[in-house]
Amino acid sequence: MRLIVVGTGGMAKNHVEHFARIPGVEIVGAVDTDATRLTAFTDMFDIKKRFSSLDEALAWGEFDAATNVTPDRAHHPTTLPLLAAGKHVLCEKPLAENYDKALEMTEAAERAGVVNMVNLTYRNVAPLQRAREMVISGEIGTVKHVEASYLQSWLVSRAWGDWRSESKWLWRLSTGHGSNGVLGDIGIHILDFAAYGAATDIDHVFARLKTFNKAPDERIGEYTLDANDSFSMTVDFANGALGVVHASRWATGHLNELKLRIYGERGGLEISHSPAGSELRACLSDDTETATWKVIEVPPVPTNYQRFAEAVMAGSHQDPTFRHAANLQRVLDLAMVTEVERRELKV
């Protein structure tokens, strides 16, 4: 598989490092409108072909697939030409800024018949995959209640850098720079984490969003800091379960932590993931009488990068597809409407 990298910002480094380890994958080019960043990136990874525009790369055309690591707002205008050219695409999340654009991308990908995936990276968490298998097999019975959280603290600490002075963080706090806040940035991750783990779709949503004061006049340089910092929501799942989902960038003491609790009529599962590692715990069978939880050892699973490459080389399709990500985007869009209208909405 001959691959190009579209967008050479911070996340692109992760993509290249993963793809470079996969047998049969050759990274043949990179695209970025910032010449300085493009040169530094291609020199770092010894990528021979460099393009200042996507049009240049498409005119060259000697690649099979692209990994789209552009900012959120650029996903739509950069992915559509790739699909029109018949290229397979792995796109960073969220798929688009809103459901309408995400749906347009989805339908274009399906018409083109190409492999289309969205890099919902926490599908790489092995305990999540195992928990889903246990839910589907009926080990915990019918799911009744789900709790999910995604906690970060980069507005509190400088562990990942200083958001007050670094553009890579400031744009995430500004709707004018294409951010939908914590809801759009990591909300899509935790909604996918919850629905995938519980093996069901979200049916209704009711959300609250909050933007906290962070700077005088809520502005730093060219950035107006108006994107949401925290959200909480209740959801109904298609299987009848009730869910509570929340996320924040103000979670002091939690650098990057996801948790999911799935409670069924015959047992419960708890999945945790953080920089320290991942774990699956279960309370099953007779242990439900004593509320005894036991750790379940889980082997590693293929990453999204590996599954994308395998799909392209095999001519098959793999989840999470554009269609799945578009459906999640609809939930996110409706969550923002519920904040304004103060009412629950059906997905």
Side-chain angles (χ1 to χ4, degrees):
M1 181 182 81
R2 297 166 301 171
L3 180 75
I4 67 165
V5 182
V6 183
T8 59
M11 275 301 294
K13 181 176 182 290
N14 292 341
H15 281 234
V16 169
E17 289 174 345
H18 278 280
F19 277 118
R21 292 194 291 266
I22 301 173
V25 174
E26 181 185 4
I27 301 167
V28 296
V31 183
D32 204 304
T33 56
D34 186 317
T36 301
R37 184 168 59 207
L38 176 63
T39 298
F41 183 82
T42 51
D43 286 349
M44 178 186 298
F45 293 106
D46 193 26
I47 298 171
K48 303 303 182 186
K49 301 294 290 188
R50 56 191 69 174
F51 305 96
S52 60
S53 72
L54 184 57
D55 286 342
E56 288 181 18
L58 288 169
W60 174 62
E62 295 181 25
F63 62 97
D64 308 301
T67 185
N68 191 337
V69 207
T70 57
D72 298 357
R73 178 170 286 177
H75 291 174
H76 177 266
T78 53
T79 296
L80 288 177
L82 289 164
L83 298 174
K87 306 301 184 182
H88 308 286
V89 180
L90 173 66
C91 186
E92 259 303 326
K93 58 78 198 168
L95 182 57
E97 292 178 278
N98 57 56
Y99 175 69
D100 289 343
K101 290 182 178 180
L103 182 61
E104 182 182 0
M105 295 164 69
T106 298
E107 292 176 343
E110 291 174 352
R111 283 195 304 270
V114 297
V115 175
N116 57 95
M117 287 179 61
V118 177
N119 192 31
L120 294 166
T121 53
Y122 298 107
R123 292 291 185 92
N124 304 336
V125 175
L128 178 69
Q129 298 280 352
R130 180 69 183 111
R132 176 181 171 86
E133 292 171 358
M134 294 174 72
V135 170
I136 292 173
S137 68
E139 289 186 57
I140 67 170
T142 302
V143 176
K144 302 293 188 182
H145 190 84
V146 177
E147 299 177 24
S149 64
Y150 192 156
L151 303 179
Q152 295 182 332
S153 59
W154 59 265
L155 287 174
V156 180
S157 75
R158 293 179 174 82
W160 293 2
D162 190 349
W163 64 266
R164 298 168 184 81
S165 60
E166 298 180 24
S167 60
K168 68 177 180 178
W169 301 114
L170 280 168
W171 81 265
R172 298 177 186 273
L173 306 176
S174 174
T175 60
H177 287 76
S179 175
N180 283 328
V182 72
L183 182 69
D185 189 15
I186 64 176
I188 191 168
H189 276 311
I190 194 59
L191 288 176
D192 181 64
F193 205 75
Y196 185 76
T200 183
D201 293 324
I202 294 170
D203 192 59
H204 286 77
V205 60
F206 183 52
R208 286 289 173 270
L209 314 178
K210 184 74 172 182
T211 305
F212 297 98
N213 296 332
K214 292 181 285 295
D217 299 321
E218 296 312 309
R219 191 173 184 86
I220 295 178
E222 64 179 279
Y223 300 91
T224 299
L225 310 183
D226 59 347
N228 59 84
D229 301 319
S230 296
F231 76 79
S232 61
M233 66 173 67
T234 55
V235 300
D236 287 347
F237 290 97
N239 67 354
L242 182 67
V244 181
V245 184
H246 68 100
S248 181
R249 294 166 171 161
W250 288 100
T252 305
H254 299 274
L255 293 179
N256 192 67
E257 181 178 286
L258 293 86
K259 285 195 174 180
L260 174 61
R261 297 179 175 91
I262 308 168
Y263 303 116
E265 59 190 347
R266 295 201 302 272
L269 302 171
E270 294 188 350
I271 305 101
S272 61
H273 175 75
S274 72
S278 307
E279 185 178 77
L280 172 63
R281 298 197 311 150
C283 181
L284 304 169
S285 190
D286 293 342
D287 286 339
T288 61
E289 301 298 334
T290 57
T292 300
W293 291 81
K294 296 176 180 176
V295 174
I296 297 178
E297 298 298 329
V298 183
V301 296
T303 65
N304 287 341
Y305 309 101
Q306 290 171 311
R307 291 189 298 109
F308 176 73
E310 289 168 3
V312 170
M313 289 187 277
S316 60
H317 291 277
Q318 286 272 5
D319 197 51
T321 62
F322 281 17
R323 176 69 64 177
H324 174 76
N327 291 340
L328 285 177
Q329 190 61 49
R330 177 163 172 75
V331 177
L332 296 175
D333 286 5
L334 290 176
M336 289 187 277
V337 176
T338 67
E339 163 65 19
V340 175
E341 298 186 359
R342 292 292 198 267
R343 66 187 179 93
E344 180 185 74
L345 289 175
K346 179 174 174 58
V347 175

Short mmCIF file of all heavy atoms in Angstrom, two decimals, residues 132-187:
data_model
loop_
_atom_site.label_atom_id
_atom_site.label_comp_id
_atom_site.label_asym_id
_atom_site.label_seq_id
_atom_site.Cartn_x
_atom_site.Cartn_y
_atom_site.Cartn_z
N ARG A 132 -16.86 -5.78 24.82
CA ARG A 132 -17.91 -5.86 23.81
C ARG A 132 -18.25 -7.32 23.50
O ARG A 132 -19.43 -7.68 23.38
CB ARG A 132 -17.48 -5.13 22.54
CG ARG A 132 -18.45 -5.23 21.37
CD ARG A 132 -17.90 -4.50 20.16
NE ARG A 132 -18.69 -4.74 18.95
CZ ARG A 132 -19.76 -4.05 18.60
NH1 ARG A 132 -20.19 -3.06 19.39
NH2 ARG A 132 -20.41 -4.31 17.49
N GLU A 133 -17.23 -8.15 23.35
CA GLU A 133 -17.47 -9.57 23.08
C GLU A 133 -18.30 -10.21 24.21
O GLU A 133 -19.20 -11.01 23.94
CB GLU A 133 -16.14 -10.31 22.95
CG GLU A 133 -15.34 -9.93 21.72
CD GLU A 133 -13.94 -10.53 21.74
OE1 GLU A 133 -13.60 -11.20 22.74
OE2 GLU A 133 -13.18 -10.32 20.76
N MET A 134 -18.00 -9.82 25.44
CA MET A 134 -18.71 -10.39 26.59
C MET A 134 -20.16 -9.91 26.62
O MET A 134 -21.06 -10.68 26.96
CB MET A 134 -17.99 -10.02 27.88
CG MET A 134 -16.61 -10.65 28.01
SD MET A 134 -15.70 -10.07 29.46
CE MET A 134 -16.60 -10.91 30.77
N VAL A 135 -20.39 -8.67 26.24
CA VAL A 135 -21.76 -8.16 26.19
C VAL A 135 -22.54 -8.90 25.10
O VAL A 135 -23.67 -9.37 25.33
CB VAL A 135 -21.77 -6.65 25.91
CG1 VAL A 135 -23.20 -6.16 25.62
CG2 VAL A 135 -21.21 -5.88 27.11
N ILE A 136 -21.94 -9.02 23.91
CA ILE A 136 -22.62 -9.67 22.79
C ILE A 136 -22.92 -11.14 23.08
O ILE A 136 -23.98 -11.67 22.72
CB ILE A 136 -21.78 -9.53 21.51
CG1 ILE A 136 -21.76 -8.06 21.05
CG2 ILE A 136 -22.32 -10.42 20.39
CD1 ILE A 136 -20.82 -7.79 19.89
N SER A 137 -22.01 -11.80 23.78
CA SER A 137 -22.21 -13.22 24.10
C SER A 137 -23.22 -13.44 25.23
O SER A 137 -23.57 -14.58 25.53
CB SER A 137 -20.87 -13.87 24.48
OG SER A 137 -20.41 -13.36 25.72
N GLY A 138 -23.66 -12.36 25.88
CA GLY A 138 -24.67 -12.48 26.92
C GLY A 138 -24.14 -12.76 28.30
O GLY A 138 -24.91 -13.11 29.21
N GLU A 139 -22.83 -12.61 28.51
CA GLU A 139 -22.23 -12.97 29.81
C GLU A 139 -22.73 -12.11 30.96
O GLU A 139 -22.72 -12.56 32.11
CB GLU A 139 -20.70 -12.89 29.73
CG GLU A 139 -20.08 -13.99 28.89
CD GLU A 139 -18.58 -13.98 28.93
OE1 GLU A 139 -18.01 -14.06 30.05
OE2 GLU A 139 -17.95 -13.88 27.85
N ILE A 140 -23.15 -10.86 30.67
CA ILE A 140 -23.67 -10.02 31.76
C ILE A 140 -25.18 -9.83 31.63
O ILE A 140 -25.79 -9.04 32.36
CB ILE A 140 -22.97 -8.65 31.82
CG1 ILE A 140 -23.29 -7.80 30.60
CG2 ILE A 140 -21.47 -8.82 32.00
CD1 ILE A 140 -22.82 -6.34 30.75
N GLY A 141 -25.80 -10.56 30.72
CA GLY A 141 -27.24 -10.43 30.52
C GLY A 141 -27.59 -9.13 29.80
O GLY A 141 -26.73 -8.46 29.24
N THR A 142 -28.84 -8.76 29.84
CA THR A 142 -29.31 -7.54 29.18
C THR A 142 -28.71 -6.32 29.85
O THR A 142 -28.78 -6.18 31.08
CB THR A 142 -30.84 -7.45 29.22
OG1 THR A 142 -31.38 -8.60 28.57
CG2 THR A 142 -31.33 -6.20 28.51
N VAL A 143 -28.11 -5.43 29.08
CA VAL A 143 -27.51 -4.21 29.63
C VAL A 143 -28.60 -3.26 30.08
O VAL A 143 -29.55 -2.97 29.33
CB VAL A 143 -26.60 -3.53 28.58
CG1 VAL A 143 -26.06 -2.21 29.12
CG2 VAL A 143 -25.46 -4.47 28.19
N LYS A 144 -28.46 -2.75 31.30
CA LYS A 144 -29.45 -1.85 31.88
C LYS A 144 -28.94 -0.42 32.05
O LYS A 144 -29.70 0.53 31.89
CB LYS A 144 -29.89 -2.38 33.27
CG LYS A 144 -30.47 -3.78 33.26
CD LYS A 144 -31.79 -3.84 32.52
CE LYS A 144 -32.44 -5.21 32.69
NZ LYS A 144 -33.71 -5.33 31.94
N HIS A 145 -27.66 -0.29 32.42
CA HIS A 145 -27.14 1.04 32.77
C HIS A 145 -25.68 1.15 32.33
O HIS A 145 -24.91 0.20 32.47
CB HIS A 145 -27.24 1.25 34.29
CG HIS A 145 -26.97 2.65 34.72
ND1 HIS A 145 -27.93 3.64 34.72
CD2 HIS A 145 -25.84 3.25 35.18
CE1 HIS A 145 -27.39 4.78 35.15
NE2 HIS A 145 -26.13 4.57 35.43
N VAL A 146 -25.33 2.32 31.81
CA VAL A 146 -23.97 2.56 31.31
C VAL A 146 -23.47 3.89 31.84
O VAL A 146 -24.20 4.89 31.82
CB VAL A 146 -23.95 2.58 29.76
CG1 VAL A 146 -22.55 2.88 29.25
CG2 VAL A 146 -24.45 1.25 29.20
N GLU A 147 -22.23 3.91 32.33
CA GLU A 147 -21.58 5.16 32.75
C GLU A 147 -20.27 5.29 31.98
O GLU A 147 -19.51 4.33 31.88
CB GLU A 147 -21.24 5.14 34.25
CG GLU A 147 -22.40 5.00 35.19
CD GLU A 147 -21.92 4.91 36.63
OE1 GLU A 147 -20.80 5.39 36.92
OE2 GLU A 147 -22.65 4.33 37.46
N ALA A 148 -20.02 6.48 31.44
CA ALA A 148 -18.78 6.68 30.68
C ALA A 148 -18.23 8.07 30.94
O ALA A 148 -18.99 9.04 31.02
CB ALA A 148 -19.05 6.49 29.19
N SER A 149 -16.91 8.16 31.07
CA SER A 149 -16.28 9.47 31.29
C SER A 149 -14.95 9.54 30.56
O SER A 149 -14.27 8.54 30.39
CB SER A 149 -16.05 9.71 32.79
OG SER A 149 -15.14 8.77 33.33
N TYR A 150 -14.63 10.77 30.12
CA TYR A 150 -13.33 11.04 29.50
C TYR A 150 -12.80 12.29 30.19
O TYR A 150 -13.33 13.39 30.01
CB TYR A 150 -13.48 11.27 28.00
CG TYR A 150 -12.17 11.28 27.22
CD1 TYR A 150 -12.16 10.98 25.87
CD2 TYR A 150 -10.95 11.58 27.82
CE1 TYR A 150 -10.98 10.97 25.14
CE2 TYR A 150 -9.77 11.57 27.11
CZ TYR A 150 -9.79 11.28 25.76
OH TYR A 150 -8.61 11.29 25.05
N LEU A 151 -11.75 12.12 30.98
CA LEU A 151 -11.23 13.20 31.81
C LEU A 151 -9.82 13.58 31.39
O LEU A 151 -8.93 12.74 31.30
CB LEU A 151 -11.24 12.78 33.28
CG LEU A 151 -12.61 12.35 33.83
CD1 LEU A 151 -12.48 11.92 35.29
CD2 LEU A 151 -13.64 13.45 33.67
N GLN A 152 -9.62 14.88 31.14
CA GLN A 152 -8.31 15.45 30.84
C GLN A 152 -8.07 16.64 31.77
O GLN A 152 -9.00 17.22 32.32
CB GLN A 152 -8.24 15.94 29.39
CG GLN A 152 -8.34 14.85 28.35
CD GLN A 152 -8.21 15.39 26.93
OE1 GLN A 152 -8.55 16.53 26.64
NE2 GLN A 152 -7.70 14.57 26.03
N SER A 153 -6.81 17.02 31.90
CA SER A 153 -6.49 18.13 32.81
C SER A 153 -5.55 19.15 32.18
O SER A 153 -4.85 19.87 32.88
CB SER A 153 -5.85 17.59 34.10
OG SER A 153 -4.67 16.86 33.81
N TRP A 154 -5.55 19.27 30.83
CA TRP A 154 -4.56 20.16 30.21
C TRP A 154 -4.91 21.64 30.36
O TRP A 154 -4.08 22.49 30.07
CB TRP A 154 -4.29 19.78 28.77
CG TRP A 154 -5.40 19.78 27.77
CD1 TRP A 154 -6.15 18.69 27.40
CD2 TRP A 154 -5.86 20.87 26.96
NE1 TRP A 154 -7.04 19.04 26.42
CE2 TRP A 154 -6.88 20.37 26.13
CE3 TRP A 154 -5.51 22.21 26.86
CZ2 TRP A 154 -7.56 21.17 25.21
CZ3 TRP A 154 -6.18 23.01 25.94
CH2 TRP A 154 -7.19 22.49 25.13
N LEU A 155 -6.11 21.96 30.87
CA LEU A 155 -6.40 23.34 31.24
C LEU A 155 -5.95 23.65 32.65
O LEU A 155 -5.97 24.80 33.09
CB LEU A 155 -7.90 23.64 31.09
CG LEU A 155 -8.41 23.76 29.66
CD1 LEU A 155 -9.92 23.91 29.64
CD2 LEU A 155 -7.75 24.93 28.94
N VAL A 156 -5.51 22.61 33.36
CA VAL A 156 -5.05 22.76 34.75
C VAL A 156 -3.53 22.64 34.82
O VAL A 156 -2.86 23.44 35.49
CB VAL A 156 -5.68 21.68 35.66
CG1 VAL A 156 -5.19 21.85 37.10
CG2 VAL A 156 -7.20 21.76 35.59
N SER A 157 -2.97 21.65 34.12
CA SER A 157 -1.54 21.39 34.19
C SER A 157 -0.87 21.69 32.86
O SER A 157 -1.52 21.93 31.85
CB SER A 157 -1.29 19.93 34.57
OG SER A 157 -1.56 19.09 33.46
N ARG A 158 0.45 21.64 32.86
CA ARG A 158 1.23 21.86 31.64
C ARG A 158 1.92 20.57 31.20
O ARG A 158 2.94 20.61 30.52
CB ARG A 158 2.27 22.96 31.87
CG ARG A 158 1.66 24.34 32.09
CD ARG A 158 2.74 25.40 32.33
NE ARG A 158 2.20 26.74 32.39
CZ ARG A 158 1.63 27.29 33.46
NH1 ARG A 158 1.53 26.56 34.58
NH2 ARG A 158 1.16 28.52 33.44
N ALA A 159 1.34 19.44 31.56
CA ALA A 159 1.96 18.16 31.24
C ALA A 159 2.11 17.95 29.74
O ALA A 159 3.04 17.28 29.28
CB ALA A 159 1.13 17.02 31.85
N TRP A 160 1.19 18.50 28.94
CA TRP A 160 1.25 18.36 27.49
C TRP A 160 1.70 19.64 26.80
O TRP A 160 1.74 19.71 25.58
CB TRP A 160 -0.12 17.97 26.94
CG TRP A 160 -0.60 16.61 27.35
CD1 TRP A 160 0.04 15.72 28.18
CD2 TRP A 160 -1.81 16.00 26.95
NE1 TRP A 160 -0.71 14.59 28.32
CE2 TRP A 160 -1.87 14.73 27.58
CE3 TRP A 160 -2.88 16.38 26.15
CZ2 TRP A 160 -2.93 13.86 27.41
CZ3 TRP A 160 -3.93 15.51 25.98
CH2 TRP A 160 -3.96 14.27 26.60
N GLY A 161 2.01 20.67 27.58
CA GLY A 161 2.36 21.97 27.02
C GLY A 161 1.53 23.05 27.67
O GLY A 161 0.68 22.79 28.53
N ASP A 162 1.75 24.30 27.27
CA ASP A 162 1.05 25.44 27.85
C ASP A 162 0.00 25.96 26.88
O ASP A 162 0.30 26.59 25.87
CB ASP A 162 2.06 26.56 28.17
CG ASP A 162 1.44 27.67 29.00
OD1 ASP A 162 0.20 27.70 29.15
OD2 ASP A 162 2.20 28.53 29.49
N TRP A 163 -1.27 25.69 27.19
CA TRP A 163 -2.36 26.09 26.30
C TRP A 163 -2.47 27.61 26.15
O TRP A 163 -3.04 28.11 25.18
CB TRP A 163 -3.69 25.52 26.79
CG TRP A 163 -4.13 26.03 28.15
CD1 TRP A 163 -3.90 25.45 29.35
CD2 TRP A 163 -4.90 27.21 28.40
NE1 TRP A 163 -4.46 26.19 30.36
CE2 TRP A 163 -5.09 27.28 29.81
CE3 TRP A 163 -5.45 28.21 27.61
CZ2 TRP A 163 -5.81 28.31 30.42
CZ3 TRP A 163 -6.16 29.25 28.22
CH2 TRP A 163 -6.33 29.29 29.61
N ARG A 164 -1.91 28.35 27.10
CA ARG A 164 -2.01 29.82 27.06
C ARG A 164 -1.16 30.44 25.96
O ARG A 164 -1.38 31.58 25.57
CB ARG A 164 -1.60 30.41 28.41
CG ARG A 164 -2.50 29.98 29.58
CD ARG A 164 -1.88 30.35 30.91
NE ARG A 164 -2.68 29.87 32.03
CZ ARG A 164 -2.63 28.63 32.50
NH1 ARG A 164 -1.83 27.73 31.94
NH2 ARG A 164 -3.39 28.27 33.52
N SER A 165 -0.19 29.68 25.46
CA SER A 165 0.73 30.25 24.48
C SER A 165 0.93 29.40 23.23
O SER A 165 1.55 29.86 22.27
CB SER A 165 2.10 30.48 25.13
OG SER A 165 2.65 29.25 25.61
N GLU A 166 0.41 28.17 23.20
CA GLU A 166 0.66 27.27 22.09
C GLU A 166 -0.58 27.12 21.21
O GLU A 166 -1.65 26.73 21.67
CB GLU A 166 1.11 25.90 22.61
CG GLU A 166 2.42 25.96 23.40
CD GLU A 166 2.84 24.60 23.92
OE1 GLU A 166 2.43 23.58 23.33
OE2 GLU A 166 3.60 24.55 24.91
N SER A 167 -0.40 27.39 19.92
CA SER A 167 -1.53 27.37 18.99
C SER A 167 -2.16 25.99 18.88
O SER A 167 -3.36 25.87 18.62
CB SER A 167 -1.08 27.84 17.60
OG SER A 167 -0.06 27.00 17.08
N LYS A 168 -1.36 24.92 19.09
CA LYS A 168 -1.92 23.58 18.96
C LYS A 168 -2.98 23.29 20.01
O LYS A 168 -3.79 22.36 19.84
CB LYS A 168 -0.81 22.53 19.03
CG LYS A 168 -0.13 22.40 20.38
CD LYS A 168 0.91 21.29 20.35
CE LYS A 168 1.61 21.13 21.69
NZ LYS A 168 2.59 20.01 21.67
N TRP A 169 -2.99 24.07 21.09
CA TRP A 169 -4.03 23.95 22.10
C TRP A 169 -5.05 25.07 21.99
O TRP A 169 -6.25 24.82 22.18
CB TRP A 169 -3.40 23.95 23.51
CG TRP A 169 -2.42 22.85 23.71
CD1 TRP A 169 -1.07 22.97 23.91
CD2 TRP A 169 -2.69 21.45 23.70
NE1 TRP A 169 -0.48 21.74 24.02
CE2 TRP A 169 -1.45 20.78 23.90
CE3 TRP A 169 -3.84 20.69 23.54
CZ2 TRP A 169 -1.36 19.40 23.94
CZ3 TRP A 169 -3.74 19.31 23.56
CH2 TRP A 169 -2.51 18.68 23.77
N LEU A 170 -4.62 26.27 21.70
CA LEU A 170 -5.53 27.41 21.67
C LEU A 170 -6.64 27.25 20.65
O LEU A 170 -7.78 27.64 20.89
CB LEU A 170 -4.74 28.70 21.41
CG LEU A 170 -4.02 29.29 22.62
CD1 LEU A 170 -3.03 30.37 22.21
CD2 LEU A 170 -5.03 29.84 23.64
N TRP A 171 -6.35 26.66 19.49
CA TRP A 171 -7.41 26.52 18.48
C TRP A 171 -8.53 25.63 18.98
O TRP A 171 -9.69 25.79 18.61
CB TRP A 171 -6.85 26.01 17.15
CG TRP A 171 -6.63 24.53 17.06
CD1 TRP A 171 -5.48 23.85 17.30
CD2 TRP A 171 -7.60 23.53 16.69
NE1 TRP A 171 -5.67 22.50 17.12
CE2 TRP A 171 -6.96 22.27 16.74
CE3 TRP A 171 -8.96 23.59 16.33
CZ2 TRP A 171 -7.63 21.08 16.45
CZ3 TRP A 171 -9.62 22.40 16.04
CH2 TRP A 171 -8.96 21.16 16.11
N ARG A 172 -8.19 24.70 19.88
CA ARG A 172 -9.20 23.79 20.41
C ARG A 172 -10.18 24.49 21.36
O ARG A 172 -11.21 23.93 21.72
CB ARG A 172 -8.55 22.62 21.14
CG ARG A 172 -7.68 21.74 20.25
CD ARG A 172 -7.00 20.64 21.02
NE ARG A 172 -6.07 19.87 20.22
CZ ARG A 172 -6.39 18.82 19.47
NH1 ARG A 172 -7.64 18.39 19.47
NH2 ARG A 172 -5.48 18.20 18.75
N LEU A 173 -9.84 25.72 21.75
CA LEU A 173 -10.68 26.49 22.67
C LEU A 173 -11.50 27.56 21.96
O LEU A 173 -12.22 28.31 22.60
CB LEU A 173 -9.80 27.15 23.74
CG LEU A 173 -8.87 26.22 24.52
CD1 LEU A 173 -8.00 27.02 25.47
CD2 LEU A 173 -9.66 25.17 25.28
N SER A 174 -11.40 27.60 20.62
CA SER A 174 -12.01 28.69 19.85
C SER A 174 -12.90 28.16 18.74
O SER A 174 -12.42 27.49 17.82
CB SER A 174 -10.90 29.56 19.26
OG SER A 174 -11.43 30.55 18.40
N THR A 175 -14.19 28.49 18.80
CA THR A 175 -15.09 28.07 17.73
C THR A 175 -14.72 28.75 16.42
O THR A 175 -14.92 28.18 15.34
CB THR A 175 -16.56 28.38 18.07
OG1 THR A 175 -16.72 29.80 18.27
CG2 THR A 175 -16.98 27.65 19.34
N GLY A 176 -14.18 29.96 16.50
CA GLY A 176 -13.77 30.67 15.30
C GLY A 176 -12.63 30.00 14.56
O GLY A 176 -12.38 30.30 13.39
N HIS A 177 -11.93 29.10 15.24
CA HIS A 177 -10.83 28.36 14.61
C HIS A 177 -11.22 26.91 14.32
O HIS A 177 -10.36 26.05 14.13
CB HIS A 177 -9.58 28.42 15.50
CG HIS A 177 -8.92 29.76 15.49
ND1 HIS A 177 -9.43 30.84 16.18
CD2 HIS A 177 -7.81 30.21 14.85
CE1 HIS A 177 -8.64 31.90 15.97
NE2 HIS A 177 -7.66 31.54 15.17
N GLY A 178 -12.52 26.66 14.31
CA GLY A 178 -13.01 25.35 13.89
C GLY A 178 -13.23 24.33 14.98
O GLY A 178 -13.47 23.16 14.70
N SER A 179 -13.18 24.76 16.25
CA SER A 179 -13.35 23.80 17.34
C SER A 179 -14.80 23.75 17.82
O SER A 179 -15.45 24.79 17.95
CB SER A 179 -12.45 24.17 18.53
OG SER A 179 -12.70 23.32 19.63
N ASN A 180 -15.29 22.55 18.09
CA ASN A 180 -16.57 22.36 18.77
C ASN A 180 -16.34 22.00 20.23
O ASN A 180 -17.17 21.36 20.87
CB ASN A 180 -17.39 21.27 18.08
CG ASN A 180 -18.04 21.76 16.80
OD1 ASN A 180 -18.40 22.94 16.69
ND2 ASN A 180 -18.16 20.90 15.81
N GLY A 181 -15.19 22.42 20.74
CA GLY A 181 -14.90 22.25 22.16
C GLY A 181 -14.65 20.81 22.56
O GLY A 181 -14.34 19.94 21.74
N VAL A 182 -14.77 20.58 23.86
CA VAL A 182 -14.51 19.24 24.38
C VAL A 182 -15.52 18.23 23.79
O VAL A 182 -15.21 17.07 23.58
CB VAL A 182 -14.55 19.24 25.92
CG1 VAL A 182 -15.95 19.41 26.46
CG2 VAL A 182 -13.92 17.98 26.48
N LEU A 183 -16.73 18.71 23.49
CA LEU A 183 -17.74 17.83 22.91
C LEU A 183 -17.28 17.30 21.56
O LEU A 183 -17.37 16.10 21.28
CB LEU A 183 -19.08 18.58 22.76
CG LEU A 183 -20.23 17.76 22.20
CD1 LEU A 183 -20.68 16.70 23.19
CD2 LEU A 183 -21.40 18.65 21.81
N GLY A 184 -16.79 18.19 20.70
CA GLY A 184 -16.36 17.76 19.38
C GLY A 184 -15.01 17.07 19.37
O GLY A 184 -14.76 16.19 18.54
N ASP A 185 -14.15 17.45 20.30
CA ASP A 185 -12.78 16.93 20.32
C ASP A 185 -12.71 15.53 20.91
O ASP A 185 -12.24 14.58 20.27
CB ASP A 185 -11.89 17.90 21.10
CG ASP A 185 -10.41 17.55 20.98
OD1 ASP A 185 -10.06 16.76 20.08
OD2 ASP A 185 -9.61 18.07 21.77
N ILE A 186 -13.18 15.39 22.14
CA ILE A 186 -13.10 14.07 22.78
C ILE A 186 -14.47 13.46 23.06
O ILE A 186 -14.57 12.30 23.42
CB ILE A 186 -12.27 14.12 24.08
CG1 ILE A 186 -12.92 15.00 25.15
CG2 ILE A 186 -10.86 14.60 23.79
CD1 ILE A 186 -12.19 14.98 26.48
N GLY A 187 -15.54 14.26 22.85
CA GLY A 187 -16.88 13.72 23.02
C GLY A 187 -17.14 12.56 22.08
O GLY A 187 -17.74 11.56 22.45
#
